[in-house]
Amino acid sequence: MKKALILVPVCAAAAGAAVFFAMKKPKGEAAPKEKKAPAAKGGAASKKEKKAAPKDLKSGSYSFISGFQNAAEVEMSLQYDSNVYFFEIIDEDFLTYSSDSHVAVIRGADFSMQLEYAGYYGGEDFSGLSKSVSERYQGFGEVSYGAVKGIKYLDGDSVCLCIPVTDDQASYILVNILASKDYDEPFYTLVDHPDVKDIIASMQFTKKA
């Protein structure tokens, strides 16, 4: 099994401004007394909850050839919030070592992610891969993101995921997740990052003859 790691840049949020209007009072009329907002229990003023910015979901796709005998083209697709993340296919300057000709990369504020296809060793399957990984790496465990299931482990300063390709006995997707320098949590917590969960859960595979 080969080793790889992952990835990504940042996006900014927009801010709005509120405009206040003053009303003129008729000459000689006393200005009305300003009403104070009721204080919240405990003496603290109540605050409105900040609404999350709406997501702008975009699709990204990554194609590769799976297997040697009876080789087939496989396309992996996923969704990401383009307000926060940037998706691209690169063939150089990988985020982490890869022997593949091209990989998919997602970059964002908290993390970057590199996704690439990997082949099983001869006679191996996903179960055999899982056993091998569990014996070699720390942090091994099973993961489930919606209908997408796989395994996780730690390799250096990255979190790695292995996701089996649907209806394919030759390949799996290796995902390397790298924390950004501004991420203030331990890097291994990225496996439970809400955006990591959403991105991986959206993965779908289409196998072409």
Side-chain angles (χ1 to χ4, degrees), residues 19-208:
V19 181
F20 293 86
F21 295 90
M23 296 181 62
K24 287 185 178 180
K25 62 180 185 296
K27 191 173 181 179
E29 182 182 339
K33 292 183 179 179
E34 182 181 352
K35 294 183 180 180
K36 292 184 179 179
K41 289 184 179 180
S46 59
K47 296 180 180 179
K48 290 184 178 180
E49 291 186 4
K50 190 175 182 180
K51 291 184 179 180
K55 291 184 177 181
D56 182 14
L57 292 178
K58 295 284 180 67
S59 294
S61 64
Y62 170 64
S63 298
F64 56 93
I65 302 299
S66 176
F68 295 98
Q69 295 181 343
N70 301 318
E73 181 183 356
V74 176
E75 181 181 75
M76 180 203 75
S77 63
L78 51 75
Q79 290 189 317
Y80 62 97
D81 183 356
S82 64
N83 289 326
V84 184
Y85 298 98
F86 176 74
F87 175 91
E88 63 178 333
I89 304 297
I90 59 175
D91 56 14
E92 60 182 358
D93 298 328
F94 299 145
L95 299 177
T96 184
Y97 170 78
S98 174
S99 60
D100 288 343
S101 60
H102 62 295
V103 302
V105 168
I106 298 175
R107 307 177 193 270
D110 287 341
F111 62 85
S112 293
M113 182 183 292
Q114 181 169 301
L115 305 95
E116 59 186 283
Y117 67 96
Y120 299 117
Y121 287 123
E124 190 181 52
D125 56 12
F126 195 76
S127 176
L129 170 69
S130 301
K131 184 175 184 300
S132 175
V133 167
S134 69
E135 294 170 348
R136 296 172 57 194
Y137 295 95
Q138 294 184 333
F140 173 82
E142 295 182 350
V143 291
S144 179
Y145 302 112
V148 178
K149 303 183 186 305
I151 58 174
K152 65 175 181 177
Y153 64 95
L154 305 179
D155 189 1
D157 58 356
S158 72
V159 179
C160 297
L161 304 176
C162 296
I163 307 296
V165 175
T166 307
D167 298 326
D168 186 88
Q169 303 302 315
S171 303
Y172 62 97
I173 296 295
L174 174 61
V175 183
N176 284 273
I177 311 171
L178 300 173
S180 71
K181 63 180 181 180
D182 296 325
Y183 187 64
D184 55 7
E185 299 291 336
F187 78 93
Y188 53 80
T189 62
L190 285 169
V191 73
D192 293 318
H193 192 291
D195 291 344
V196 169
K197 289 183 175 182
D198 288 345
I199 291 170
I200 301 301
S202 72
M203 288 174 61
Q204 294 185 347
F205 298 97
T206 302
K207 192 173 182 180
K208 303 175 183 179

